[in-house]
Amino acid sequence: MLSASDLAGRLAQNAETVCRHYLSAGRRAGNYWLVGDVANSRGRSLYVHLIGPRAGRWTDAATGQFGDLLDLVREACGLVDFRDVAEEARHFLSLPQPEPVSDLRGDVGDGPPAERPARERARRLFRMTEPLAGTLADIYLRDRGILRASAHGALRFHPSCYYRDLVTGRTSSYPALIAAVTDAAGAITGVHRSWLDPDGVGKAKVDDPRRALGGLLGNGVRFRYPVTNPVPVLAAGEGIETMLSLSHVMPGMPMVAALTANHLAGFHFPPGCRRIYIAADADAAGRHGIEGLSRRAQAHGILPLVLSPELGDFNDDLRRLGPDRLTASLRAQLTPEDVVAFLP
């Protein structure tokens, strides 16, 4: 049976074929394959080396994600377990399949892992979680000034979530904050994982402690978000902690975290939306997301309004300036009717 490095090497020898299969929305440009992201969105921020000593290595300039083609297969297919990734790679390369191995977690009846769609893999991981209240993830968010996170059904806790180092290929597990990515109807299309230090001192000490899998485009992690009624006013941004910080002082306003700048720009507006507040992010990718979402909102007849933090981000404002100062700052940025509706 081929090792992970052998599989990655075989995929790299067929880098362009891999890209055409898993990233069909992209195109070749010289020695690179360009596409929007690992979810196969249109764009140019993710690039894959096609030839040379770095063939098969890829980087997403918008999110900072990187890895080899084995990692790309995992993210593109929404796979959770490395065994499933290896099986998908072998299937693609038309290699002989290994003998079936019984799943000790009792996942009987789900069918072959490579045949389950990405949405089901995300739902499977979410089903393995537990309520947030009182867990290490709840404590982590409380340390960030977010005191009522357990009231949000989109947030759960996994005590031992699988993690693979994208450079070395080593696998391990850490406790993790798990967030459900849902569509406008409330169906889970993906999940976001934030791995945490087991000793309760912040995020896990790994190169990339945050990763998403599944269907992100147009969707997001939703807080206080009705799925049956029109949503005339909402706030949208990239990060989960950013939007939870805003929700802390505006608990009645529907919120969504799109997770990356590209996905923020492509967020699907809910029916009946009249105004959308966009939480600012200071970096270049963040500005790209704000500008893209603003243009699309205007094209749909929706008024886009940008909310700007006083410090680096809204979680900095909440922790360092306090909820009263954050409330006062937002009061000056909301429309008068939204001040009445959503601020104390």
Side-chain angles (χ1 to χ4, degrees), residues 3 39 51 132 160 261 273 342:
S3 67
I51 62 174
L132 188 71
S160 183
C273 185
F342 298 114

Side-chain angles (χ1 to χ4, degrees), residues 37-39 181 189-192 212-220 258-260 263 266:
D37 52 37
V38 290
V181 177
T189 63
V191 291
H192 183 271
L213 64 86
L216 307 186
L217 186 60
N219 306 314
L259 303 179
T260 73
H263 292 106

Side-chain angles (χ1 to χ4, degrees), residues 89-128:
R90 293 188 188 99
H91 176 75
F92 176 82
L93 293 168
S94 298
L95 294 175
Q97 296 294 307
E99 290 297 316
V101 178
S102 61
D103 192 337
L104 298 179
R105 289 167 300 192
D107 206 16
V108 178
D110 254 355
E115 295 178 5
R116 288 193 297 270
R119 288 191 180 196
E120 178 51 34
R121 294 184 183 282
R123 291 168 182 163
R124 177 188 177 193
L125 176 58
F126 199 72
R127 288 196 300 266
M128 296 166 63

Side-chain angles (χ1 to χ4, degrees), residues 3 16 80 202 214 246 283 302 316 330 332 341:
S3 67
E16 184 170 350
V80 176
L246 289 173
D283 60 20
I302 299 169
D316 285 343
L330 293 171

Side-chain angles (χ1 to χ4, degrees), residues 118-283:
R119 288 191 180 196
E120 178 51 34
R121 294 184 183 282
R123 291 168 182 163
R124 177 188 177 193
L125 176 58
F126 199 72
R127 288 196 300 266
M128 296 166 63
T129 60
E130 58 189 62
L132 188 71
T135 66
L136 193 64
D138 192 16
I139 295 171
Y140 165 79
L141 291 173
R142 286 177 175 274
D143 287 344
R144 307 289 293 175
I146 301 165
L147 306 181
R148 296 184 290 272
S150 60
H152 299 291
L155 301 178
R156 304 274 291 184
F157 176 67
H158 195 302
S160 183
C161 188
Y162 168 87
Y163 176 86
R164 178 172 182 259
D165 189 290
L166 297 178
V167 177
T168 66
R170 295 194 193 96
T171 61
S172 54
S173 61
Y174 297 90
L177 170 66
I178 307 294
V181 177
T182 57
D183 61 19
I188 294 177
T189 63
V191 291
H192 183 271
R193 298 151 291 172
S194 298
W195 283 277
L196 305 173
D197 188 290
D199 295 326
V201 288
K203 293 188 178 65
K205 296 175 178 62
V206 295
D207 287 339
D208 50 344
R210 296 176 177 174
R211 291 180 190 163
L213 64 86
L216 307 186
L217 186 60
N219 306 314
V221 181
R222 300 169 196 262
F223 308 112
R224 306 293 189 191
Y225 200 103
V227 297
T228 57
N229 300 317
V231 183
V233 179
L234 77 153
E238 290 184 49
I240 291 173
E241 292 175 26
T242 289
M243 302 316 295
L244 283 173
S245 299
L246 289 173
S247 184
H248 183 81
V249 297
M250 295 191 294
M253 181 179 287
M255 307 253 174
V256 62
L259 303 179
T260 73
N262 280 344
H263 292 106
L264 178 62
F267 175 68
H268 292 165
F269 302 111
C273 185
R274 300 196 308 268
R275 283 186 301 283
I276 183 167
Y277 290 98
I278 308 173
D281 197 320
D283 60 20

